[in-house]
Each structure stands twice: as structure tokens, then as C-alpha cells.
């Protein structure tokens, strides 16, 4: 892949657009194909097929994959990938888009997070392997045909059931191209790290395909504001890497990159009970401020446990299911520099003056639009 916009080859010559090929077919420059690609079989021997749309531009450029629903109940990313594939005008596309809106088809059909086949996690099974478990065989078919041929990728996720995330990026930022991709997506928050073994973004990056994860919202629903915000991020990436030359790279207004373990933490319950959450996703809290309280069914004052912010920061992920056992996660808190705090507070003041919504400006916590 070129390090510069325009997709020139490493020796500086002008390349020719090439066909995108996979095991069983090819899409030539200027063509679009909707594919149902077989990755496994059911207990009845019927094929398990994933939907794939490949848009191969007439002009040369990078090949980018957009993937969603590695966890079958994570729906927001599905709509992002579908809209990019089928609603956007790609007549002047420089390069190729590989759109995989539903990777975990068995989980999607059952509306479950994991593959309903021995409860396997597809997003811990990449790059996969032939002759291995069912999950790894599926992962292998997806990875070799539609991930490895690409130059970079964006994998969309939501929080698991009972929790919700503000939109943010997770990326191995010490990789130069991954860092460029993460910043191009224009989210306010980037959490650095290579990701667990077997995740698509980690294994793709290690295979030479710089990839980021975008976390956004909650499972089992479409959240329109988050979807629209993610579409802005995709457009920004396509502009940065020269696939859509008429578009512009988007600046989010402020950004924080969390690359120190001391700057992020999951706060966990030290007592079981019913949670009264004082803040939603995207909330800015100061050190010592009460984030939530945990009570028993009788609300006895002597048994109320208050959970305070250990440092000043932003709540990226938060519990929505209001009951916990000791050790259950309550919220994901990330630190902010003084400069970022100032920018955030300035944006919040502007946003509050324009509406009655109290949010970070990019992630309204308003379920009425879900």
C-alpha cells in the first residue's frame, strides 16, 4: 500500500487498477458484486454463507475492508457497513472496498454474541486455521479471502449486553499506519493497545493489514446518532487514504489518546446489589466525584456503597443492567490531559447552549433515537 494519498506504487510509477480475487471469483475494476460466501455448514449440511459486497473502483488505490457483527448481537456496525456499501456514491472510487456487514451469521440469526456452536467467540479465532475448530475454520475462510488481500481495515463493535460505550477507537498506535488510520477516523477517544490474541484487528495488523476497532453503543439495536457519527469517520478515512478524493478528512474538535495503563481503568463493584448510576456514557467526572451507588433491596443507609472516580476523566463505557455481583464492571474511565479537559469543557458549553442535551457533543446519550 502507498504511504501517500493516491495509491502510487513503491517505485513511484502509476499503477493500474487490479481485479479483486477470492477463492471462487473475481471482481474487475469498475464492477460491484454482492456475494454470499460459504464459510461452513449447519447440522443439516446446509451452507452457512456470509454476505460480502465488493466495490472495485475503476481507478487504482488502496483496498479497505469494513467488517461488523463478529459478535452476532452487535448491530450498529452492520448498518454502518450496509450504508457505505449500498447508499454511498462510489462512482469516483480510487481503490476497492470490501464490506462484510455480518461475519458471525450463526450468532446473528440466533441474536447471540458468540457462535451458537459450543459457544465459541469468532473474534478470538482469527486468523483461523483449516482442520481446527468450527470457529477457526470460519475465521480462516473469512481472513484468507477478504482480510489478507486488503491494505487496511475497520472492524465495528458495540459493548456487550448490559453495558454501553461512547464511540471510540482501539488501535495499536505504535504502528505508524495503524496510528494514521486511527486518527483519520476522527473519534474523540483513541485507546492504545494491540488487542487480545485472536481478535481481528490484532491478527490483521500482524499480517500486514493495519486495522482498528471502532466501539459504539450497545448490543441489540440501531443507534442512529452513533451510526451517523461512524459514517463520518469512515468518510474521513476514505479521504485520508485517497479512496474518495472529493471528501475531506474530519477533525473531531478534541482528541485524547490513552496509551498508559494508569490512564484507564474498569471500576468494579466491591459489593453486590442494585446500582444507581449517576452518570452516562461520555460523561466527564472529576476525581472523588460519586459515579454510582450500590444498595440492597431495603436501601438501608448503613449498607450503601458509593463508588468514586479515582481520577478526573471521561466515562467511555458504562453499566446499564442495574444489578451486580462483587467484581462486576461498573464503568470504563479514561484520563484526560488538562488541555483536553479545557477543549472538552469548551465544546460542552457550546453544545449546552445549543440544546438541552448534556453530552460530549459527539455521543449524545439519548435512547429516544435508538
Amino acid at each position: 500500500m502507498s504511504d501517500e494519498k493516491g495509491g502510487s506504487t513503491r517505485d513511484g510509477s502509476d499503477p493500474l487498477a487490479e481485479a479483486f480475487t477470492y477463492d471462487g471469483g473475481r471482481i474487475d475494476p469498475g464492477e460491484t458484486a454482492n456475494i454470499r460466501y460459504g464459510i461452513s455448514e449447519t447440522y443439516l449440511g446446509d451452507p452457512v454463507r456470509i454476505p460480502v459486497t465488493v466495490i472495485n473502483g475503476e481507478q487504482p488505490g488502496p483496498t479497505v475492508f469494513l467488517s461488523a457483527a463478529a459478535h452476532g448481537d452487535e448491530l450498529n456496525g452492520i448498518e454502518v457497513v450496509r450504508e457505505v456499501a449500498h447508499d454511498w456514491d462510489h462512482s469516483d472510487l480510487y481503490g476497492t472496498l470490501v464490506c462484510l456487514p455480518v461475519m458471525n451469521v450463526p450468532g446473528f440469526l440466533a441474536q447471540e454474541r458468540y457462535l451458537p456452536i459450543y459457544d465459541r467467540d469468532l473474534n478470538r479465532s482469527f486468523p483461523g486455521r483449516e482442520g481446527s475448530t468450527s470457529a477457526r475454520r470460519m475465521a480462516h475462510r473469512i481472513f484468507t479471502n477478504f482480510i489478507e488481500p486488503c491494505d487496511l481495515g475497520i472492524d465495528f463493535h458495540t459493548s456487550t449486553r448490559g453495558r454501553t460505550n461512547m464511540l471510540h477507537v482501539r488501535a495499536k498506535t505504535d504502528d505508524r499506519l495503524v496510528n494514521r488510520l486511527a486518527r483519520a477516523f476522527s473519534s474523540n477517544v483513541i485507546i492504545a493497545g494491540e488487542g487480545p490474541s485472536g481478535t481481528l484487528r490484532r491478527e490483521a495488523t500482524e499480517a500486514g493489514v493495519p486495522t482498528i476497532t471502532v466501539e459504539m453503543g450497545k448490543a441489540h439495536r440501531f443507534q442512529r446518532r452513533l451510526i451517523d457519527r461512524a459514517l463520518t469517520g469512515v468518510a474521513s478515512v476514505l479521504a485520508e487514504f485517497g479512496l474518495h478524493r472529493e471528501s475531506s478528512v474530519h477533525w473531531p474538535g478534541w482528541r485524547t489518546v490513552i496509551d498508559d495503563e494508569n490512564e484507564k481503568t474498569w471500576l468494579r463493584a466491591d459489593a453486590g446489589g442494585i446500582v444507581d448510576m449517576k452518570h452516562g456514557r461520555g460523561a466527564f467526572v472529576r476525581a472523588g466525584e460519586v459515579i454510582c451507588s450500590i444498595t440492597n433491596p431495603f436501601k438501608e443507609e448503613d449498607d450503601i456503597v458509593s463508588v468514586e472516580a479515582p481520577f478526573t476523566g471521561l466515562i467511555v463505557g458504562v453499566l446499564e443492567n442495574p444489578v451486580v455481583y462483587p467484581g462486576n464492571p461498573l464503568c470504563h474511565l479514561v484520563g484526560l490531559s488538562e488541555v483536553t479537559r479545557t477543549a472538552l469543557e469548551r465544546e460542552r458549553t457550546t453544545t449546552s447552549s445549543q440544546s438541552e442535551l448534556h453530552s460530549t457533543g459527539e455521543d449524545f446519550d439519548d435512547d429516544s433515537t435508538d
Side-chain angles (χ1 to χ4, degrees):
M1 185 186 74
S2 167
D3 289 347
E4 304 296 334
K5 291 184 181 180
S8 61
T9 58
R10 296 184 186 279
D11 63 5
S13 61
D14 292 330
L16 298 175
E18 298 180 352
F20 180 89
T21 60
Y22 60 95
D23 183 13
R26 62 181 280 144
I27 299 93
D28 289 314
E31 293 183 347
T32 295
N34 293 320
I35 307 158
R36 292 187 181 272
Y37 191 76
I39 60 169
S40 188
E41 294 179 354
T42 70
Y43 293 128
L44 296 175
D46 297 323
V48 174
R49 297 187 177 101
I50 63 167
V52 185
T53 297
V54 179
I55 305 143
N56 196 351
E58 293 183 353
Q59 305 297 326
T63 299
V64 179
F65 78 81
L66 306 175
S67 59
H71 296 131
D73 59 358
E74 298 182 358
L75 306 184
N76 277 328
I78 294 175
E79 190 61 10
V80 174
V81 178
R82 288 202 316 158
E83 290 192 25
V84 172
H86 303 293
D87 295 346
W88 285 14
D89 180 5
H90 297 296
S91 57
D92 292 325
L93 180 67
Y94 286 74
T96 305
L97 291 176
V98 180
C99 300
L100 302 106
V102 183
M103 290 192 294
N104 183 352
V105 166
F108 175 74
L109 293 175
Q111 275 303 280
E112 295 179 2
R113 178 177 176 85
Y114 301 123
L115 287 161
I117 306 165
Y118 304 115
D119 210 28
R120 299 278 186 174
D121 188 344
L122 183 63
N123 202 38
R124 294 296 185 273
S125 304
F126 291 102
R129 189 172 73 247
E130 285 187 307
S132 184
T133 65
S134 55
R136 288 187 176 181
R137 291 178 190 223
M138 293 182 191
H140 174 76
R141 295 281 285 170
I142 295 169
F143 199 85
T144 56
N145 284 283
F146 301 110
I147 304 301
E148 280 188 321
C150 296
D151 295 303
L152 54 101
I154 305 173
D155 187 30
F156 291 94
H157 287 262
T158 76
S159 187
T160 189
R161 282 174 285 183
R163 301 203 296 267
T164 185
N165 287 326
M166 69 176 288
L167 188 146
H168 66 280
V169 165
R170 299 186 181 189
K172 189 176 186 291
T173 54
D174 57 0
D175 182 296
R176 183 175 59 86
L177 283 174
V178 174
N179 185 54
R180 179 183 170 194
L181 173 58
R183 290 175 179 273
F185 192 82
S186 76
S187 70
N188 293 113
V189 177
I190 299 172
I191 297 179
E194 63 181 352
S197 177
T199 56
L200 179 56
R201 73 173 171 99
R202 173 170 173 170
E203 302 303 334
T205 297
E206 290 186 355
V209 184
T211 299
I212 62 173
T213 291
V214 175
E215 293 279 354
M216 47 186 295
K218 64 187 78 172
H220 285 300
R221 65 188 63 201
F222 284 163
Q223 295 169 282
R224 191 66 244 178
R225 283 195 176 99
L226 291 173
I227 290 167
D228 288 343
R229 180 62 188 84
L231 288 167
T232 297
V234 174
S236 183
V237 167
L238 299 188
E240 167 66 19
F241 287 90
L243 285 89
H244 277 182
R245 299 187 178 183
E246 72 282 2
S247 300
S248 299
V249 179
H250 181 262
W251 164 242
W254 60 271
R255 176 186 289 132
T256 185
V257 180
I258 309 301
D259 56 8
D260 188 327
E261 288 298 323
N262 295 325
E263 295 178 323
K264 59 185 177 182
T265 185
W266 271 100
L267 299 184
R268 295 182 178 273
D270 289 329
I274 300 170
V275 180
D276 179 12
M277 190 66 64
K278 310 295 185 184
H279 300 279
R281 67 170 189 238
F284 174 67
V285 295
R286 297 190 178 276
E289 188 173 347
V290 175
I291 292 177
C292 68
S293 60
I294 304 172
T295 63
N296 62 31
F298 304 108
K299 286 194 169 182
E300 295 170 336
E301 290 191 12
D302 291 343
D303 291 327
I304 294 176
V305 176
S306 294
V307 179
E308 299 179 352
F311 52 81
T312 298
L314 194 68
I315 296 178
V316 172
V318 68
L319 176 77
E320 288 202 318
N321 185 342
V323 294
V324 292
Y325 275 104
N328 285 169
L330 297 167
C331 74
H332 192 191
L333 184 67
V334 301
L336 299 176
S337 68
E338 193 62 43
V339 172
T340 304
R341 292 180 207 170
T342 301
L344 171 59
E345 289 173 331
R346 184 185 304 117
E347 181 182 86
R348 176 173 290 180
T349 300
T350 301
T351 301
S352 296
S353 68
Q354 295 172 345
S355 72
E356 295 180 357
L357 292 171
H358 300 286
S359 73
T360 63
E362 62 93 77
D363 187 20
F364 297 103
D365 194 12
D366 177 12
D367 286 346
S368 65
T369 61
D370 291 354

